[in-house]
Amino acid sequence: MTKFAIRTAFAAALFAATAFSQAKNVILFIGDGGGVTSLNAASIYGYGKPQALYVQSMPSVGLADTSTAMEWVTGADAAASAMATGRKGRNGVISVSFDDGKGAKEGEVYKTVLEYAEERGLSTGLIENNKEGLLYEMVSAFYAHAGMGNEELDIYHQFLKPRFGDGPDVVLATNYKKLNDQVTGGIDAMGAEFKAKGYVFARTMDEVASLDPGKKRVIGMFDGDDWDMTAAVKLAVARLSGNPKGFFLVVHSDCHLAKTRPSLVRLIDLDKAIRAVAEANKSNTLTIYTADHGYALYVKGERATEALKSTDHKRIVDAIHLEDQHTAEEVPVLAIGPGSGRVKGYMSNTDIFRVIMASYGWNEQTAKR
Ligand SMILES: [Zn+2]
């Protein structure tokens, strides 16, 4: 080690150890397509003014690059893998290495932050309202590993056979009909498999709410995708908080719905869910909000009348441009709680992994931010 390297390593360790207090729990909220322009539009639509969302009041603000190792514009798979593993991947691949044409070994498994948490005995959870539910890449990249052309049933089997610990403890997700069709015996057979893995299997939010708090492992699979996000997040946090070692929770909300109003309403609802838990738990819980990618949804206003500060919902929607496209620009990373000070400036979506790891106090080499 050179003198410089020693000094740098020492400074990094000092920075990590002293500048920030340690987080017991981390909650990562991901708004699909919920980038800077979508947050701005949601605030104006929902509250008639800019910067009125809770996430826009979070003290730490960074801007993360979302490009993949191969593409300027990311898909859900590469974005989730970057946050989960701290490595840039490529679209179509989750949490494994890929053939980059430079002789990289294909299919090498990258350990995810959820797996680190499971290994260390923390409780873990996933909340997902995308129609693909538990198998949607934004959450599956945290528990599964698969290359190009991965099979849904394989991802499902990886969920049932976790590599570390006993896998996610609380899962609240949309019921994915395609998976039900693929699994022999459908939803009943899945329910039996979940029970065999020690889960209570619930089909409605009310059922989850009425469960004995002593039931630590719960899978809720709800019909439709418009269930109450705030209720889901509160129920998950209440159950996961029982572990004295702490918890890690990923919440993904699909705010990328190809239509203006539903996308904005989803984002506003997600923001309410974040407000409901982040503030109350900020003494020991790092809460992060980010987006998987930018989305071509923004308030436009070339003509003076278009730009007028109307608070009428219809006029606001009329002034919003929406093209159902992912975009390449940086996405906000907003944070509150212990370790949130590591979120700042222009960063990479892979830094989200490092911020979480460092905030738990894990892995010195990755504790730089
Ligand atoms: Zn998306």
Side-chain angles (χ1 to χ4, degrees):
M1 225 189 235
T2 64
K3 258 191 198 159
F4 176 76
I6 291 166
R7 214 170 49 224
T8 310
F10 178 68
L14 197 70
F15 178 58
T18 59
F20 306 105
S21 48
Q22 200 164 313
K24 181 183 179 194
N25 316 305
V26 177
I27 313 177
L28 174 60
F29 286 95
I30 306 162
D32 204 301
V36 172
T37 58
S38 293
L39 291 182
N40 168 261
S43 177
I44 290 173
Y45 177 83
Y47 300 99
K49 55 183 178 189
Q51 300 180 9
L53 297 174
Y54 172 72
V55 293
Q56 292 171 317
S57 74
M58 284 180 162
S60 295
V61 180
L63 287 168
D65 162 53
T66 62
S67 65
T68 79
M70 304 286 278
E71 296 103 355
W72 295 127
V73 181
T74 193
D77 27 34
S81 302
M83 297 178 213
T85 70
R87 311 247 199 158
K88 291 276 187 188
R90 69 168 305 181
N91 295 334
V93 165
I94 55 170
S95 300
V96 292
S97 62
F98 58 94
D99 179 9
D100 62 357
K102 295 175 201 150
K105 187 168 155 251
E106 204 176 314
E108 186 193 338
V109 168
Y110 296 148
K111 194 165 167 183
T112 73
V113 61
L114 185 140
E115 291 174 326
Y116 278 101
E118 277 291 323
E119 185 182 41
R120 283 160 173 75
L122 280 75
S123 291
T124 61
L126 303 169
I127 299 180
E128 175 59 81
N129 66 7
N130 178 278
K131 287 188 168 57
E132 292 181 24
L134 173 62
L135 297 198
Y136 191 55
E137 295 94 337
M138 286 311 305
V139 289
S140 68
F142 285 86
Y143 66 79
H145 306 267
M148 282 286 184
N150 52 69
E151 301 282 335
E152 292 184 316
L153 266 185
D154 174 48
I155 306 289
Y156 173 63
H157 288 131
Q158 289 192 44
F159 174 81
L160 293 176
K161 286 197 194 71
R163 295 171 63 246
F164 294 94
D166 53 3
D169 302 288
V170 175
V171 177
L172 304 176
T174 296
N175 174 29
Y176 184 29
K177 296 201 170 50
K178 205 168 140 202
L179 175 67
N180 302 349
D181 295 344
Q182 287 179 21
V183 173
T184 316
I187 191 98
D188 293 336
M190 285 164 60
E193 280 172 320
F194 294 148
K195 272 186 198 152
K197 298 284 170 189
Y199 292 105
V200 176
F201 183 46
R203 297 301 317 279
T204 64
M205 196 74 75
D206 286 347
E207 221 182 306
V208 176
S210 67
L211 290 174
D212 173 350
K215 304 269 184 236
K216 295 296 175 219
R217 284 165 65 76
V218 176
I219 294 181
M221 281 197 181
F222 314 132
D223 289 335
D225 56 356
D226 247 341
W227 34 272
D228 184 341
M229 183 54 84
T230 298
V233 170
K234 281 183 166 177
L235 286 171
V237 168
R239 218 157 278 274
L240 295 168
S241 300
N243 187 337
K245 289 184 173 170
F247 69 81
F248 175 60
L249 171 65
V250 181
V251 182
H252 173 256
S253 180
D254 196 347
C255 313
H256 166 184
L257 298 172
K259 286 188 182 143
T260 304
R261 274 176 202 266
S263 300
L264 297 180
V265 168
R266 273 283 173 84
L267 209 41
I268 293 162
D269 286 348
L270 177 63
D271 182 68
K272 287 179 183 161
I274 300 171
R275 186 194 296 266
V277 292
E279 206 56 36
N281 296 292
K282 67 183 177 189
S283 65
N284 65 1
T285 303
L286 169 64
T287 300
I288 300 176
Y289 168 82
T290 193
D292 52 347
H293 54 76
Y295 190 36
L297 183 160
Y298 49 86
V299 180
K300 62 183 167 56
E302 186 66 26
R303 296 191 302 277
T305 50
E306 211 173 34
L308 273 180
K309 280 189 163 173
S310 168
T311 53
D312 177 68
H313 275 175
K314 190 183 173 313
R315 290 194 63 172
I316 294 168
V317 168
D318 286 346
I320 289 175
H321 173 87
L322 171 61
E323 244 176 286
D324 191 25
Q325 298 262 4
H326 295 196
T327 55
E329 84 281 359
E330 288 80 0
V331 294
V333 184
L334 310 168
I336 186 168
S340 58
R342 293 185 176 91
V343 172
K344 59 182 179 189
Y346 274 80
M347 46 199 290
S348 163
N349 56 0
T350 54
D351 289 330
I352 293 169
F353 167 83
R354 297 197 173 83
V355 168
I356 296 171
M357 291 291 285
S359 299
Y360 278 126
W362 300 340
N363 194 345
E364 242 185 278
Q365 298 94 19
T366 56
K368 274 183 268 164
R369 269 198 185 263

